[in-house]
Amino acid sequence: MTIDTNSLSPVESLLAPMRHSTHPYLTWYSQGGERVELSGRVFDNWVAKSANLLHEEFDLAPGSIVATDMPGHWKSAALALACWHLGAEVRCVAPGTDPGDVDIFITADTETLAVNGSVEVIAVPLPALAMAFDGPLPVGATDYASEVRAYADSFNPSPIDTSATALQGAAGSMAYTQLFAELPETGASGTTLLSTAWPLERLLPVLVSLWSAGNPVVLVEDGVKISDSLLGGERVVTRLDRES
């Protein structure tokens, strides 16, 4: 699939082909033994709900900057796409790092919730069935799990500047045109396995590339044993979890 960067949103072009699919789009394995299978329809709903939350509660818009120290996870992928629906920049920072001058800080780490200054904080519990964040939150912080489900399952994107920065991290930055049009060549075909041993800033462009090519993804948390049973059960064709 070729991403149309002249559309209302590059994310719209990415998700639209799978929006009504009941087939696996992203399957998650955690070290705790959690397996979460999200169809194209369900994943699109999570992205839409997240985009509506970010837009309606935080006025996220083109030019806004969202910092995150989230690990690779299906929720961090959904939230990144939600930010890009709105034309914002996603800035990946290391845990414990000052995010700088940003509009929102998204984290799953209780030790980094207390952010200095006036930055809006969104706390994200990682377990799929969590209905609320487990632990105290700073005054004014938003509990992602308890809030996001109330928002609409669809999102109507507005035009964005595709020359603007979409992703920034330690390795540099990528504009929307680079992230969604100049896709990295993965060599993958069919269901592809990735590991969160890769940092989020590296995972996100690869996810976009794989989904753009129509490849379902199996995302495993770093430390999960990748057995023949797992590979066979998920019908994995390509593995990109190992460094070449």
Side-chain angles (χ1 to χ4, degrees), residues 138-226:
V139 175
T142 297
D143 186 337
Y144 175 77
S146 66
E147 297 292 334
V148 72
R149 289 175 172 83
Y151 288 85
D153 290 344
S154 60
F155 180 76
N156 296 315
S158 299
I160 65 170
D161 178 7
T162 55
S163 67
T165 299
L167 179 64
Q168 184 169 337
S173 63
M174 297 181 71
Y176 277 85
T177 49
Q178 293 173 291
L179 182 62
F180 289 95
E182 299 174 13
L183 302 171
E185 178 56 55
T186 65
S189 176
T191 300
T192 303
L193 186 139
L194 295 175
S195 168
T196 63
W198 290 5
L200 186 62
E201 66 177 282
R202 182 181 177 193
L203 276 175
L204 290 172
V206 174
L207 285 170
V208 169
S209 181
L210 291 171
W211 286 329
S212 297
N215 299 320
V217 173
V218 176
L219 183 62
V220 297
E221 187 175 12
D222 188 24
V224 170
K225 181 180 179 182
I226 303 173

Side-chain angles (χ1 to χ4, degrees), residues 6-239:
N6 294 316
S7 66
L8 289 179
S9 163
V11 175
E12 180 70 12
S13 295
L14 180 71
L15 295 177
M18 293 292 291
R19 175 158 295 144
H20 303 292
S21 172
T22 58
H23 296 293
Y25 191 74
L26 177 59
T27 304
W28 164 255
Y29 279 85
S30 75
Q31 285 194 61
E34 184 179 52
R35 178 186 181 276
V36 180
E37 181 180 294
L38 297 103
S39 66
R41 181 176 62 190
V42 170
F43 186 72
D44 178 69
N45 286 350
W46 275 96
V47 174
K49 285 178 176 292
S50 300
N52 284 314
L53 167 67
L54 292 167
H55 177 62
E56 295 177 30
E57 291 298 316
F58 299 94
D59 296 322
L60 200 71
S64 298
I65 301 175
V66 179
T68 183
D69 64 355
M70 290 271 289
H73 193 276
W74 68 265
K75 289 183 181 178
S76 52
L79 278 159
L81 289 174
C83 292
W84 294 330
H85 247 327
L86 292 156
E89 173 187 326
V90 174
R91 181 177 295 173
C92 297
V93 299
T97 302
D98 183 347
D101 185 13
V102 301
D103 298 285
I104 302 173
F105 181 51
I106 300 177
T107 184
D109 189 345
T110 55
E111 294 185 2
T112 61
L113 280 172
V115 179
N116 295 326
S118 58
V119 177
E120 299 272 13
V121 177
I122 299 177
V124 183
L126 298 182
L129 299 180
M131 299 302 291
F133 193 86
D134 184 15
L137 297 178
V139 175
T142 297
D143 186 337
Y144 175 77
S146 66
E147 297 292 334
V148 72
R149 289 175 172 83
Y151 288 85
D153 290 344
S154 60
F155 180 76
N156 296 315
S158 299
I160 65 170
D161 178 7
T162 55
S163 67
T165 299
L167 179 64
Q168 184 169 337
S173 63
M174 297 181 71
Y176 277 85
T177 49
Q178 293 173 291
L179 182 62
F180 289 95
E182 299 174 13
L183 302 171
E185 178 56 55
T186 65
S189 176
T191 300
T192 303
L193 186 139
L194 295 175
S195 168
T196 63
W198 290 5
L200 186 62
E201 66 177 282
R202 182 181 177 193
L203 276 175
L204 290 172
V206 174
L207 285 170
V208 169
S209 181
L210 291 171
W211 286 329
S212 297
N215 299 320
V217 173
V218 176
L219 183 62
V220 297
E221 187 175 12
D222 188 24
V224 170
K225 181 180 179 182
I226 303 173
S227 64
D228 290 340
S229 176
L230 187 157
L231 295 171
E234 300 297 345
R235 300 181 180 180
V236 171
V237 176
T238 306
R239 290 182 62 174

